Amino acid sequence: MRKLGGYILAFFVTAVSARAQNTTITEIGNLIQDALLLTDRYITPATDAAVYQAASSWVNTPRHLDRWDVNVGLHFNAFFVPHRDQTFTLNQNELKFFQISEGTQVITPTTLGDDQYVTLTGTLNDEPVSMRTPEGVDRETIFYPYIQASVGLGFGTDFIAKIAPRTILKNVEYQVGGFGLKHTISRYFKKLEAQKIYISAFAGYSKEDITVEFLDVQTGFGNLGLTALNSDINTYQFQLNGSKVWKKFELISAVIFNSSDFNYSVSGNRGAIEDVFPLQSTVNTALETLKKTKTNIIGEISGRYQLKNFYIQSSLAFGKFVNSNISIQYHFH
């Protein structure tokens, strides 16, 4: 992150107009570096959690649907926020521009934390600058509903898709959607299915979109226009499921492997500083250094009970986080 200093200084040496000659270029560069530091620590727990939420309950059962049969389910997801991911520590010696108002160290919430905040101050072109650190969602458990549907394509293969409405939790907006294919492997092993044991493989893609209220920075130029931070996450998932059926009850387990690409950008109402230089686009260029790819291995276990054409299912995904899901499904023949 510190390597950005040279780039930022070079940019402003060539890009800052005559109106900004009195603005200290180094101060601007330091402010952006602090913004990157806060971005990484504030948003990372939420983006990691979003991947777990999107990874859960893709496969209702390893058994395949008959061709053109449809299963539609209403799912209710509950994500349990671990205490370790609710806060992070900010030290004065890590900051290049801002000053901590009280002391040399402060604990501030992540996106998954409470609604507390601290005030940071600084000086830009001899003018005072103040900023409140962003607040968290202030929830111990995060709930959100979504709809999922499966369609039998024949040959032991189902197409699966899910979509969630945009969920708003205080200062955070979240939405997920995706699709994939499931194939029943056990159909090639008649002895297994004769014992009502089923195995399937699933491959899918999901997109998670998170937007949070971010840096409300007040300066002599007015607001800097960095009030919203968006996280765009693209996840590719593969999983193996196995199940055993006893009459109307099915016990299902899964091992999930996924890889997620994380991208970040800031937005907000155009700040007056944009009349002098393009701060938003410069920050977004710098945010490209925070791009990352993460892989996860997640376990999942679920139980499914049949009531004629209805199914009630509950599942639990576990790994770094714990995510639960309950759904009501209807099978259209």
Side-chain angles (χ1 to χ4, degrees):
M1 193 177 295
R2 301 294 186 187
K3 294 180 181 179
L4 289 172
Y7 164 79
I8 296 167
L9 291 177
F11 176 87
F12 283 105
V13 165
T14 57
V16 175
S17 68
R19 293 177 58 189
Q21 291 302 311
N22 293 329
T23 301
T24 304
I25 297 172
T26 302
E27 292 173 347
I28 296 288
N30 289 340
L31 188 154
I32 294 177
Q33 290 190 55
D34 285 358
L36 295 182
L37 175 68
L38 288 166
T39 299
D40 194 21
R41 295 190 183 177
Y42 175 70
I43 196 65
T44 294
T47 54
D48 288 349
V51 170
Y52 265 69
Q53 291 179 315
S56 298
S57 300
W58 272 101
V59 176
N60 297 325
T61 171
R63 292 181 286 177
H64 62 83
L65 297 171
D66 292 335
R67 181 175 292 179
W68 308 129
D69 277 9
V70 176
N71 179 284
V72 177
L74 178 60
H75 291 247
F76 299 90
N77 218 52
F79 175 79
F80 304 105
V81 180
H83 289 287
R84 69 174 182 272
D85 291 292
Q86 294 182 11
T87 61
F88 67 93
T89 301
L90 194 61
N91 292 298
Q92 184 60 66
N93 58 13
E94 298 176 301
L95 298 172
K96 302 280 287 183
F97 177 83
F98 287 107
Q99 299 292 318
I100 298 173
S101 299
E102 299 181 3
T104 59
Q105 185 183 83
V106 67
I107 296 177
T108 186
T110 67
T111 322
L112 300 179
D114 59 25
D115 58 358
Q116 301 300 306
Y117 65 90
V118 296
T119 301
L120 304 179
T121 59
T123 302
L124 180 61
N125 194 29
D126 296 325
E127 293 288 338
V129 173
S130 66
M131 183 193 76
R132 284 173 41 163
T133 56
E135 302 174 16
V137 296
D138 196 25
R139 300 281 184 91
E140 294 292 331
T141 306
I142 298 174
F143 298 94
Y144 82 94
Y146 65 89
I147 296 173
Q148 182 168 303
S150 304
V151 180
L153 302 179
F155 307 103
T157 301
D158 297 346
F159 174 79
I160 305 172
K162 68 167 66 175
I163 184 65
R166 181 164 291 274
T167 301
I168 301 177
L169 298 173
K170 195 178 178 182
N171 59 335
V172 178
E173 294 186 13
Y174 172 69
Q175 188 170 33
V176 63
F179 59 88
L181 291 174
K182 180 194 75 180
H183 185 72
T184 300
I185 300 172
S186 57
R187 67 194 298 264
Y188 305 110
F189 303 93
K190 301 303 181 183
K191 289 184 179 180
L192 280 179
E193 294 201 344
Q195 300 176 58
K196 296 189 176 180
I197 296 175
Y198 302 89
I199 301 171
S200 71
F202 169 82
Y205 163 80
S206 62
K207 184 179 184 64
E208 301 90 57
D209 184 89
I210 303 174
T211 301
V212 301
E213 294 179 6
F214 195 45
L215 302 181
D216 186 11
V217 186
Q218 301 295 332
T219 75
F221 291 102
N223 191 284
L224 293 189
L226 308 178
T227 53
L229 172 65
N230 176 258
S231 303
D232 179 43
I233 310 166
N234 295 280
T235 298
Y236 303 89
Q237 180 161 316
F238 175 79
Q239 70 184 71
L240 292 172
N241 283 75
S243 75
K244 169 68 175 177
V245 177
W246 293 275
K247 295 183 178 179
K248 295 184 178 181
F249 178 75
E250 184 174 15
L251 181 64
I252 308 134
S253 62
V255 179
I256 299 168
F257 307 87
N258 64 25
S259 177
S260 301
D261 299 323
F262 299 82
N263 298 281
Y264 307 101
S265 62
V266 293
S267 61
N269 294 329
R270 187 177 183 274
I273 200 168
E274 297 288 336
D275 294 333
V276 180
F277 49 81
L279 181 62
Q280 275 190 11
S281 62
T282 305
V283 172
N284 283 329
T285 299
L287 282 172
E288 293 181 5
T289 64
L290 297 184
K291 286 183 178 180
K292 64 189 75 171
T293 299
K294 291 185 178 181
T295 58
N296 290 287
I297 300 177
I298 303 169
E300 185 176 66
I301 187 166
S302 66
R304 190 174 191 237
Y305 188 79
Q306 182 179 5
L307 296 168
K308 294 186 177 180
N309 288 340
F310 285 93
Y311 293 85
I312 298 175
Q313 186 163 2
S314 178
S315 67
L316 188 71
F318 50 90
K320 179 181 178 181
F321 301 105
V322 176
N323 188 80
S324 69
N325 187 286
I326 187 168
S327 64
I328 301 173
Q329 306 154 24
Y330 187 82
H331 189 155
F332 294 90
H333 295 280

